[in-house]
Amino acid sequence: MVAALLADLFETHRPHLLSVAYRLTGSVSDAEDAVQESWLRLSVARQSEIEDLRAWLTTVVSHICVDRLRSAAVRREKYVGQWLPEPVVTAVTPSSTLDPLAAVVRKQEFRFAALVVLDTLTPPQRVAFVLHDGFSVPFSEIADILDVSVDSARQLAARARKAVAQGPAAVSDDEHNAAVQRLLSALSSGDVDAIVAALHPDVRTVGDGGGQVSTAINVVAGVDRNVKLWTGLFRRFRLFDLERIGPERELEPVLVNGQFGILAHERAPHDGIPGSPPRVYAFTVRDDKVWGVYDVVNPAKLGGVRVPH
């Protein structure tokens, strides 16, 4: 009976713990594993020594995520190409099935572009910033988690705050949708002038194939290079052809971390068009134009696709 009550109580904290772990790691699999491991630690802990269960669990999950972040930093040293967070992909129409992580990522601070910026921070900076600014964890507790002084924890958060401030400002869903739709329509029509008009002057495309699947290894920056890239892909793969975009079609409109994006289902070669593996396209909008295109195609980073097939 006591175990059942404890399990029920833990479940009430699961959405919070997932939000902490996902924002700390940028990884769906690591976040879910960290939360599950926190439950295992709770199940064998002395309950009488836990004064505030939410705070205790937050600390435990944070410790686990620090280890995951450090491990990821080592992996990134040998990673082929660019490194992007793992997206959480859900259907445009909300599912009746409760998914705590899908609900969490609809908040502005979990937008894909925001996680991309967090990935530029060092692990200690990320932990200090996310825990303090995102979840109001006191610097004294953050210092214990990172094994640094309180002053150092404050400095880490301050440096992270400055870096985050340089990222793109959040825009409304309507502005985001309109800008992305303009780009898709322009690509589908093949109108180069319309494509240029839909792109921000500082546009960049970032691909993450992890060396396993073909995508751009380097960041493709600038309007000219992006126009050449996307018109070439459209001609070869019929990519972003509006006739192929729709529910249960090859290119499915979805929400990527709560904002409009595209899920490209695996496609076999047909009609002279080469086949393509599953991939997720996320977008960032700045000044009413598409500023960032993110092509997540590494199979290991598509575990957050929650769209039923």
Side-chain angles (χ1 to χ4, degrees):
M1 183 64 177
V2 172
L5 289 174
L6 185 62
D8 287 344
L9 189 57
F10 177 82
E11 287 303 316
T12 66
H13 294 292
R14 183 180 290 275
H16 165 72
L17 297 176
L18 281 170
S19 66
V20 172
Y22 179 59
R23 199 164 177 225
L24 282 177
T25 63
S27 165
V28 174
S29 55
D30 282 349
E32 292 176 335
D33 288 349
V35 172
Q36 184 59 29
E37 187 172 340
S38 73
W39 159 247
L40 296 176
R41 295 189 187 185
L42 175 63
S43 64
V44 297
R46 294 179 181 272
Q47 305 303 313
S48 59
E49 297 178 358
I50 301 176
E51 297 180 3
D52 183 332
L53 181 58
R54 180 185 174 96
W56 188 90
L57 287 168
T58 299
T59 299
V60 170
V61 164
S62 299
H63 274 291
I64 297 169
C65 289
V66 167
D67 292 338
R68 300 293 177 111
L69 275 173
R70 288 170 176 159
S71 175
V74 173
R75 295 198 305 272
R76 288 179 68 166
E77 293 177 359
K78 298 181 180 180
Y79 199 77
V80 178
Q82 306 303 306
W83 177 288
L84 289 172
E86 291 182 21
V88 177
V89 181
T90 54
V92 172
T93 302
S95 171
S96 58
T97 304
L98 179 64
D99 186 333
L101 189 55
V104 162
V105 296
R106 292 178 181 269
K107 300 177 182 177
Q108 288 287 353
E109 60 267 30
F110 290 88
R111 298 308 197 200
F112 198 76
L115 290 176
V116 170
V117 174
L118 289 181
D119 266 351
T120 66
L121 305 177
T122 66
Q125 287 174 348
R126 184 170 188 159
V127 171
F129 171 75
V130 169
L131 291 183
H132 182 267
D133 288 35
F135 298 100
S136 302
V137 176
F139 280 122
S140 58
E141 295 181 22
I142 295 171
D144 289 339
I145 292 169
L146 294 174
D147 193 23
V148 298
S149 69
V150 174
D151 284 343
S152 293
R154 287 197 183 95
Q155 291 171 6
L156 287 167
R159 294 191 192 102
R161 206 173 291 122
K162 290 180 181 179
V164 170
Q166 301 303 312
V171 301
S172 69
D173 289 343
D174 287 343
E175 181 180 342
H176 177 92
N177 295 349
V180 174
Q181 291 286 5
R182 280 196 297 272
L183 175 61
L184 296 181
S185 296
L187 287 169
S188 184
S189 69
D191 184 337
V192 174
D193 289 338
I195 297 172
V196 170
L199 295 174
H200 190 280
D202 298 325
V203 64
R204 73 278 316 281
T205 292
V206 185
D208 182 347
Q212 301 183 55
V213 184
S214 178
T215 186
I217 293 181
N218 299 312
V219 176
V220 180
V223 172
D224 290 345
R225 294 180 66 195
N226 273 274
V227 169
K228 183 177 180 180
L229 170 69
W230 292 108
T231 53
L233 290 174
F234 181 83
R235 284 193 297 269
R236 184 179 181 191
F237 296 101
R238 301 298 292 173
L239 192 61
F240 295 144
D241 186 342
L242 292 184
E243 293 183 359
R244 299 178 184 275
I245 296 179
E248 300 181 0
R249 295 187 182 178
E250 295 171 355
L251 302 174
E252 182 175 356
V254 292
L255 297 181
V256 181
N257 288 52
Q259 287 190 311
F260 180 78
I262 296 292
L263 169 62
H265 295 287
E266 184 173 8
R267 183 176 65 188
H270 64 92
D271 301 328
I273 301 174
S276 179
R279 60 209 310 148
V280 171
Y281 291 102
F283 303 89
T284 300
V285 171
R286 208 170 193 170
D287 302 326
D288 293 322
K289 299 177 184 290
V290 172
W291 176 81
V293 182
Y294 306 102
D295 176 21
V296 185
V297 67
N298 183 348
K301 294 192 175 183
L302 297 180
V305 177
R306 294 340 206 218
V307 180
H309 300 299

